[in-house]
Amino acid sequence: MKLNRKEQAVADKMTALGVYKPEFDDSIRRYVKISEEYHTIYTSYRKAKYPFAVVGAQGAKKSPAFQALESLRKDLIALEDALGLNPRGLMKLQEEPFRAERATRRADRLI
């Protein structure tokens, strides 16, 4: 299945970082879908003038929109880590090749 424009933009960023593989396409689609949901909820949250708390019979609690944003933000960060779109995730993805490269250099020195 071909990537749409937004998905392709994410794939292009990953390609520029040297971490893109076609196996990531499903995760990229999920990342873009969650990102769109986040922006939709954030837009309505902003239009409502950022209500943090809702007062009910049992006292104040976080608004449903704020809770959804919090949850989606965590999901986005986890997917960014998995795709190498942030420094921590990029280091995780590039760590294995660096280890293999170091092991090869050590082996070359021993020969």
Side-chain angles (χ1 to χ4, degrees):
M1 183 189 233
K2 190 172 166 118
L3 299 174
N4 69 27
R5 186 178 49 84
K6 290 179 181 180
E7 294 164 350
Q8 189 60 51
V10 173
D12 291 344
K13 287 179 188 177
M14 292 174 67
T15 301
L17 293 169
V19 294
Y20 174 77
K21 293 180 182 176
E23 293 85 4
F24 290 140
D25 286 353
D26 288 335
S27 295
I28 291 170
R29 285 185 187 93
R30 200 169 340 169
Y31 173 76
V32 169
K33 184 172 267 190
I34 291 172
S35 181
E36 288 171 349
E37 286 178 37
Y38 179 86
H39 289 295
T40 301
I41 293 171
Y42 182 77
T43 300
S44 66
Y45 180 66
R46 189 177 58 206
K47 285 180 183 176
K49 300 196 186 319
Y50 305 99
F52 174 76
V54 175
V55 179
Q58 297 176 341
K61 64 178 184 174
K62 292 179 185 176
S63 71
F66 185 81
Q67 288 176 335
L69 288 171
E70 222 173 21
S71 176
L72 289 173
R73 190 177 303 123
K74 288 176 186 175
D75 293 344
L76 285 170
I77 290 170
L79 279 168
E80 286 172 354
D81 281 351
L83 296 172
L85 294 172
N86 62 28
R88 181 174 57 183
L90 185 59
M91 284 178 59
K92 284 180 186 177
L93 287 176
Q94 291 181 341
E95 191 172 291
E96 268 312 306
F98 287 138
R99 274 195 211 145
E101 185 179 309
R102 281 189 228 128
T104 304
R105 279 191 256 154
R106 284 190 204 129
D108 288 345
R109 280 187 263 160
L110 293 174
I111 296 177

